[in-house]
Amino acid sequence: MAGGHPAGGSAGLGELIEAGHGAALLADFQRYYRLDLADVWRGRLSPRRAMVLAEHLPEDSALAASLAGGPEHRGWTLQTHLLAHLLNAVRFADANNVRVNGGKLKRDPEPVKTPGTARRRSALDLSTHPLALDLP
């Protein structure tokens, strides 16, 4: 590619690989396109085409999971996240309905865990803050 295309893919492809997403990209190219990513270096696949293909991988691809934070995100599309949150809402609404009607639960419902849930911080507790202790 003499002169290169202004929207060439070499830099973007290099950034993805340098950021640690190369293995996911390699696997996705094999899975979805039956292409070998090494063909970029062999001169059989242009970096621009490789970037265009990478940009259009499905949201359940290994690259999407890698960009989202790692393999635990694999298969978690927008729809699966929404379904998990919907299921959690139904479970907790059902539990609250039982409590409101005088029933007792053996235990609170267990929420469906989504990737990244464990990394969320708990609610901010200001009860030990010096200004909170001065309140009457």
Side-chain angles (χ1 to χ4, degrees):
M1 298 183 98
H5 190 279
S10 298
L13 201 57
E15 287 174 13
L16 278 175
I17 293 168
E18 187 176 324
H21 307 296
L25 195 56
L26 178 70
D28 285 338
F29 268 55
Q30 185 67 42
R31 178 180 179 199
Y32 293 104
Y33 304 126
R34 303 286 186 240
L35 293 173
D36 186 355
L37 188 60
D39 283 345
V40 171
W41 290 272
R42 293 180 190 125
R44 296 183 203 140
L45 179 65
S46 74
R48 172 75 178 137
R49 182 172 179 225
M51 272 308 292
V52 168
L53 293 172
E55 289 171 355
H56 292 89
L57 284 165
E59 67 176 315
D60 66 340
S61 67
L63 180 61
S66 183
L67 290 169
E72 69 272 11
H73 293 269
R74 187 72 191 262
W76 282 92
T77 63
L78 175 62
Q79 289 80 11
T80 53
H81 277 280
L82 291 173
L83 284 171
H85 290 296
L86 181 62
L87 181 59
N88 288 339
V90 169
R91 285 180 177 176
F92 284 98
D94 187 41
N96 285 335
N97 199 16
V98 168
R99 287 187 188 106
V100 165
N101 289 311
K104 300 215 185 273
L105 297 172
K106 292 181 181 178
R107 63 180 188 270
D108 285 333
E110 187 67 31
V112 173
K113 302 238 186 301
T114 59
T117 304
R119 285 180 282 212
R120 290 184 186 149
R121 291 192 291 156
S122 59
L124 182 63
D125 180 15
L126 296 175
S127 62
T128 58
H129 190 278
L131 295 175
L133 297 175
D134 292 339
L135 296 174

